[in-house]
């Protein structure tokens, strides 16, 4: 996650020429097997839904421990 966080902090908003690198870094981190249970729990809490976890994503992620 540190790679993704670093890209987000240093490039927000992400210039078009860096978008591909940022997206690749995100998927490399998010797609790790050890993160699968966290992603599943976020989807159960309403990830990518207009009134679910998206409304308070930082807290939702922190609650996963």
């Amino acid at each position: 996650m540190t790679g993704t966080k670093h890209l987000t902090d240093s490039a927000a908003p992400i210039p078009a020429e860096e978008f591909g690198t940022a997206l690749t870094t995100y998927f490399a981190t998010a797609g790790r097997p050890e993160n699968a249970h966290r992603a599943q729990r976020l989807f159960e809490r309403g990830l990518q839904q207009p009134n679910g976890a998206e409304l308070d994503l930082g807290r939702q992620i922190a609650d996963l421990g």
Side-chain angles (χ1 to χ4, degrees):
M1 290 253 195
T2 58
T4 302
K5 177 77 170 131
H6 174 72
L7 279 170
T8 302
D9 288 345
S10 66
I14 299 171
E17 63 272 8
E18 294 180 20
F19 185 77
T21 301
L23 193 58
T24 299
T25 301
Y26 166 76
F27 282 118
T29 300
R32 292 165 130 171
E34 61 268 27
N35 290 330
H37 70 284
R38 292 181 185 97
Q40 179 61 39
R41 288 180 59 200
L42 286 171
F43 279 110
E44 290 168 359
R45 294 177 179 198
L47 186 65
Q48 296 184 344
Q49 300 298 316
N51 60 353
E54 299 287 332
L55 297 176
D56 192 16
L57 190 55
R59 185 180 62 77
Q60 295 291 332
I61 291 170
D63 286 350
L64 295 178

